[in-house]
Amino acid sequence: MFTDDEFAVLMKELDQPQIDGWEFFTESHGISIYRLYNEESGLYEYKIYGTLSDVLPDCSADVYMDLEYRKVWDSYAKELYEKEENGKKVIYWNVNYPWPMSNRDYVYKREMRELEHNGNKVWIVMAESTECLSIPEKSGVIRVDDYKQSCVLTTDGKQGSKAFMRYYDNPKGMIPTWLINWGAKTGVPSFLTMMQEACRGYPKYLESRNKS
């Protein structure tokens, strides 16, 4: 689905952030964010570096991949599921936007690999927009067809996770670019905080799911 070279490029970020040409954007709660301007869209692509201090990387990876659990802890996920078409799995994701903006939805492919780097296990997830004829666009919902996200997780050497994310999407529609860029500044750290809390609650969630 994705190439070995693409995963290798992401792995490099663990040793040395690849930020030549990137602009430092903000730092919050131990998370550093850099951005790169996209002239075609007027938007930015982001690189995020940080740690989840009390969550192990295998748990972080499981939470990141668990779509059913995502619907529990992420209030923005209105609809989220995986389906198979022509032997390939794709994910549909409908995201709640605040009134009066229209919701956005995504159809994307995703792959996770567990690799080894400097004697430590590394979890890398790559996701990218794709087409799926059996998931047509919905009335009143704007389809995002330019979306990429990558996540790299490994141990921080203690009881936490060292994390790197790369993210870009173009939500289209009549949203001012300044508002989108402001949302990235506040939304990325808050998402990681939400995910950290979700990781803490994951064992209890699995226990209740296995009982039902």
Side-chain angles (χ1 to χ4, degrees):
M1 191 184 296
F2 296 95
T3 67
D4 293 345
D5 286 345
E6 287 176 300
F7 280 93
V9 166
L10 292 170
M11 187 91 81
K12 286 182 182 177
E13 301 278 358
L14 293 175
D15 292 329
Q16 182 64 47
Q18 307 294 305
I19 52 175
D20 284 351
W22 292 70
E23 171 194 357
F24 175 75
F25 184 42
T26 188
E27 188 168 2
S28 173
H29 300 92
I31 298 163
S32 299
I33 304 177
Y34 295 81
R35 66 183 185 179
L36 183 67
Y37 187 68
N38 183 314
E39 291 188 5
E40 189 175 333
S41 66
L43 301 172
Y44 288 91
E45 182 175 0
Y46 295 91
K47 284 186 175 185
I48 302 102
Y49 303 87
T51 58
L52 305 175
S53 59
D54 62 347
V55 178
L56 294 173
D58 57 342
C59 179
S60 299
D62 287 344
V63 167
Y64 196 83
M65 295 295 288
D66 192 328
L67 299 183
E68 289 304 310
Y69 187 43
R70 177 73 177 263
K71 289 185 281 187
V72 172
W73 63 266
D74 185 355
S75 60
Y76 293 101
K78 180 178 181 180
E79 195 176 354
L80 183 61
Y81 62 84
E82 185 176 65
K83 74 172 298 182
E84 194 167 309
E85 183 179 74
N86 299 325
K88 295 181 180 179
K89 290 182 178 179
V90 298
I91 293 170
Y92 175 77
W93 180 31
N94 187 328
V95 181
N96 288 317
Y97 267 58
W99 188 89
M101 294 185 285
S102 300
N103 278 11
R104 266 63 178 171
D105 67 3
Y106 300 70
V107 177
Y108 62 96
K109 58 184 180 179
R110 180 177 72 167
E111 181 182 357
M112 182 175 81
R113 293 189 190 179
E114 292 182 25
L115 304 171
E116 195 165 296
H117 182 67
N118 293 338
N120 293 315
K121 203 177 237 187
V122 180
W123 291 259
I124 302 179
V125 183
M126 297 188 70
E128 186 177 280
S129 295
T130 190
E131 291 185 351
C132 182
L133 297 177
S134 62
I135 308 179
E137 295 187 30
K138 296 183 177 184
S139 175
V141 180
I142 296 174
R143 175 64 51 87
V144 176
D145 53 14
D146 189 9
Y147 161 75
K148 290 182 180 180
Q149 183 171 9
S150 305
C151 180
V152 183
L153 295 158
T154 191
T155 178
D156 66 350
K158 301 172 186 175
Q159 295 298 312
S161 302
K162 185 178 180 182
F164 162 69
M165 292 180 70
R166 185 168 180 169
Y167 183 86
Y168 174 80
D169 79 356
N170 182 354
K172 299 190 293 188
M174 301 301 292
I175 307 176
T177 54
W178 69 264
L179 182 59
I180 297 171
N181 294 325
W182 174 85
K185 189 170 188 175
T186 58
V188 170
S190 65
F191 170 76
L192 288 174
T193 300
M194 283 171 58
M195 187 173 164
Q196 193 169 15
E197 291 175 0
C199 289
R200 293 184 190 125
Y202 196 49
K204 189 174 182 180
Y205 166 78
L206 287 178
E207 187 179 337
S208 63
R209 186 165 76 179
N210 291 336
K211 285 180 180 177
S212 59

